[in-house]
Amino acid sequence: MESLEVMQSFLLWLGEDQASGALKYEEIRQKLIRLFRYRGCHIPEELADETIDRTARAVLKPDFRYQGEPIAYFRGVARNVYFEWLRNERRLPSEPISETNCELPASGGGSATGELIHDCLERCLNALPPAKKSLLIRYYGSEKRGKIDGRQLLAEESGIGLNALRIQMFRLRNSLRSCVEKCKVKVEML
Amino acid sequence: MNLSPEKRYRRFFLGIANEEEQCRIEEEVLTGEVDDFFLQNTEDELIDDYLLGSMTQEERQGFSMSFLSTKERRQRLAFAAGLIEYARKQQAEELSTSWKLAQRSTIRAVLSWKRAALLAATASVLFGVLAGLELMKLRDQTQVAQETRNELTRLQATLAADNRRAAQVAGPSTGILSGTEDAVDRMPVIEFASTTRSMYPVVFRVPANARFARIDWKLSAPLAEKYREVLLSGSGQQLWVQEFPAVVLSPANRSTIVLPASILSPGTYHFRLDMVSTSGGFEELADCVFRVVRE
């Protein structure tokens, strides 16, 4: 934003006074970053700042007329920023995402990254309580066609609902992923 | 088209949601109506479906053209691919090991059926003796539990009266309460059953002037000797934790928690019930998501 005065006027539009406006500013910025991230943008912070700058410029124009919650106005601006970004992305030659790179290997894996993930997974899974390790393996070991049925069956065997099982798996998977990430960094540093 | 939240968000992530769906989701994300747990879990489910071949052609196209646009998602995909591959190998190894073991034990059983019959007879005698001893021990424990329960009921009535007095004099008071106190009954309340498990938040309306809010658990039956209730914010921060033995539950297996309404600002929360496991630690029994609306 260009000057301190502009910033102060903008904060007063957001809140009753500058302090509450500053809090609101940060809250809206975080929400915009979240929105752009879930939209699949790889520069969510930059797009959130662009949205805020454009909104501030519009708000401080003498002929600005808007009655309503600031967040609704931000949403409209964020939408334009997103579509502009998308158009630019499509114009630029992007690195193609090979589907085959992401498919499950038919057998054995073999790449250096694959082996690293495999070794780290083994370490991290072995650090889990055996019951949890076994649950994870059964959950993710279901066959392609039988994915839904296999997980439903597992939930029934565990005496819990499918949603509850998904919640458990979500937590386990997140902690496992963070363990694997740490392990990869350690191994790569050696 | 009235789709479930999960389906709407799947379409959004895959870049195939229509204008109306996109607007609704943008609004929900910006107003905080939907929490990160739900969003990230939906992303994980998409990744699994892609890897397990459970997607339509349109979804697969959206996945590679739109969803995989960030490095973070591609890393999550690589991790999930590794996990699924590892899990399949492990299962295959376990199956092959158990098959070999089964073969060996069948051969042994055929060769030494007489020895097996003798062992079975000895085991059944031993089992009978042990069961008798356990039954005697259980009778003693039941008697002690009954006495403890009577004493706790008396103490609880005293504690509830003290709490009511403390609330009138000093403001917020919390704790497990039983009975039908007037003040407790007038509070905004949300009730869960131990079997309630939902990823989609239940709305808990708390009036702006409320000083306290009540969370009730109704257990279908006592399953453990000890429980723990944990209140977590949408971002996973632990706001409240409370342990209690099963004997303090009301006769209807109900547990009531009274919280200061000030800690329940608008947003999403998880309320988790853990029970003490056989190993002595706690394991999750139920998990409910609810959204607080102040009005």
Side-chain angles (χ1 to χ4, degrees):
Chain A
M1 245 167 267
E2 288 104 36
S3 72
L4 189 63
E5 270 178 39
V6 172
M7 183 63 166
Q8 283 170 344
S9 312
F10 183 56
L11 293 181
L12 285 174
W13 180 70
L14 288 174
E16 286 173 5
D17 50 44
Q18 281 191 24
S20 65
L23 284 175
K24 197 86 188 156
Y25 177 97
E26 199 42 48
E27 185 194 327
I28 288 173
R29 185 170 182 270
Q30 290 308 319
K31 285 179 172 173
L32 286 168
I33 291 172
R34 196 167 166 246
L35 176 68
F36 286 119
R37 184 173 297 135
Y38 285 117
R39 273 271 193 199
C41 307
H42 53 79
I43 46 167
E45 285 88 359
E46 281 177 41
L47 297 182
D49 290 338
E50 176 62 24
T51 305
I52 293 173
D53 283 352
R54 282 192 200 183
T55 308
R57 282 199 293 273
V59 165
L60 300 175
K61 278 183 188 167
D63 58 344
F64 179 75
R65 298 278 176 274
Y66 173 76
Q67 301 281 322
E69 281 294 310
I71 195 79
Y73 193 87
F74 278 104
R75 188 174 71 81
V77 178
R79 218 171 149 65
N80 289 336
V81 169
Y82 170 72
F83 284 116
E84 278 172 32
W85 170 82
L86 200 63
R87 275 196 295 274
N88 277 333
E89 282 292 295
R90 283 177 185 164
R91 265 204 302 271
L92 294 171
S94 61
E95 192 186 325
I97 300 159
S98 160
E99 275 211 30
T100 49
N101 282 346
C102 311
E103 294 270 14
L104 281 175
S107 66
S111 73
T113 318
E115 275 173 26
L116 180 61
I117 292 180
H118 184 276
D119 290 348
C120 285
L121 261 172
E122 191 147 42
R123 279 189 212 181
C124 293
L125 277 165
N126 286 336
L128 285 175
K132 290 195 170 170
K133 180 184 171 185
S134 156
L135 197 65
L136 259 169
I137 286 175
R138 289 190 63 196
Y139 189 83
Y140 288 105
S142 313
E143 279 305 310
K144 277 190 179 183
R145 265 180 252 165
K147 183 206 161 202
I148 302 294
D149 287 345
R151 292 182 179 182
Q152 180 69 54
L153 194 69
L154 188 57
E156 281 165 17
E157 279 176 24
S158 314
I160 54 175
L162 186 57
N163 262 342
L165 182 65
R166 282 170 67 183
I167 291 171
Q168 275 193 35
M169 287 301 108
F170 174 76
R171 292 205 177 117
L172 267 177
R173 178 175 174 147
N174 270 356
S175 59
L176 187 66
R177 192 167 68 221
S178 118
C179 173
V180 168
E181 289 306 320
K182 281 179 197 158
C183 164
K184 274 165 64 184
V185 172
K186 268 188 201 167
V187 173
E188 279 164 353
M189 279 169 71
L190 288 175
Chain B
M1 198 164 38
N2 203 6
L3 297 171
S4 68
E6 196 179 344
K7 281 187 181 156
R8 278 195 295 119
Y9 276 88
R10 282 175 73 97
R11 290 170 56 79
F12 180 75
F13 289 141
L14 295 172
I16 54 176
N18 62 32
E19 189 77 10
E20 191 191 334
E21 287 165 346
Q22 286 184 44
C23 286
R24 193 169 158 195
I25 287 171
E26 283 168 358
E27 208 170 294
E28 286 171 357
V29 174
L30 286 178
T31 52
E33 271 182 61
V34 61
D35 67 359
D36 282 327
F37 163 73
F38 172 72
L39 293 167
Q40 285 174 21
N41 188 57
T42 307
E43 286 184 328
D44 281 349
E45 288 287 321
L46 272 176
I47 291 173
D48 287 358
D49 286 351
Y50 176 77
L51 291 170
L52 297 171
S54 313
M55 273 185 171
T56 63
Q57 188 54 40
E58 185 193 24
E59 286 177 331
R60 282 190 82 77
Q61 204 176 348
F63 190 87
S64 47
M65 299 292 292
S66 187
F67 184 82
L68 287 182
S69 55
T70 65
K71 191 180 168 192
E72 191 251 340
R73 283 176 175 170
R74 290 197 290 270
Q75 281 172 343
R76 281 164 69 184
L77 177 73
F79 166 78
L83 177 59
I84 291 174
E85 193 199 352
Y86 182 89
R88 284 185 177 168
K89 271 187 193 164
Q90 287 286 309
Q91 275 200 328
E93 276 171 26
E94 274 170 27
L95 270 176
S96 124
T97 312
S98 57
W99 171 243
K100 279 176 195 161
L101 283 174
Q103 269 184 320
R104 272 184 225 156
S105 63
T106 310
I107 293 164
R108 278 194 207 129
V110 170
L111 289 176
S112 59
W113 65 271
K114 280 183 185 171
R115 198 173 60 183
L118 188 63
L119 273 174
T122 315
S124 63
V125 170
L126 270 175
F127 178 76
V129 171
L130 284 174
L133 286 173
E134 280 300 311
L135 196 65
M136 281 165 66
K137 212 161 84 181
L138 195 65
R139 271 191 205 137
D140 288 348
Q141 282 173 349
T142 312
Q143 198 181 344
V144 172
Q146 185 58 46
E147 283 162 12
T148 312
R149 190 188 178 102
N150 293 342
E151 180 59 12
L152 276 167
T153 310
R154 191 184 64 73
L155 289 172
Q156 226 179 344
T158 315
L159 176 66
D162 286 350
N163 270 352
R164 199 165 45 230
R165 277 198 296 279
Q168 283 161 359
V169 177
S173 101
T174 55
I176 298 175
L177 301 176
S178 66
T180 53
E181 296 176 338
D182 289 347
V184 175
D185 283 348
R186 281 197 303 273
M187 291 170 196
V189 59
I190 188 164
E191 182 171 323
F192 300 112
S194 60
T195 47
T196 308
R197 286 178 183 273
S198 172
M199 294 181 62
Y200 309 114
V202 179
V203 175
F204 183 17
R205 297 186 188 282
V206 181
N209 61 355
R211 290 183 61 203
F212 305 104
R214 214 176 91 200
I215 301 177
D216 284 3
W217 269 105
K218 173 87 174 64
L219 298 166
S220 51
L223 300 166
E225 288 176 356
K226 198 173 171 191
Y227 295 90
R228 180 171 68 183
E229 290 166 318
V230 187
L231 178 68
L232 300 156
S233 70
S235 58
Q237 190 192 350
Q238 192 169 292
L239 301 173
W240 185 268
V241 63
Q242 180 168 282
E243 291 179 17
F244 60 94
V247 284
V248 306
L249 288 171
S250 74
N253 294 323
R254 183 188 294 273
S255 150
T256 294
I257 292 185
V258 178
L259 299 164
S262 56
I263 71 168
L264 293 172
S265 51
T268 310
Y269 296 83
H270 283 256
F271 197 72
R272 205 178 73 213
L273 180 68
D274 298 336
M275 66 176 185
V276 74
S277 65
T278 44
S279 62
F282 280 101
E283 70 181 39
E284 186 180 306
L285 183 63
D287 186 323
C288 295
V289 186
F290 66 94
R291 184 159 59 84
V292 169
V293 175
R294 301 301 297 253
E295 49 190 22

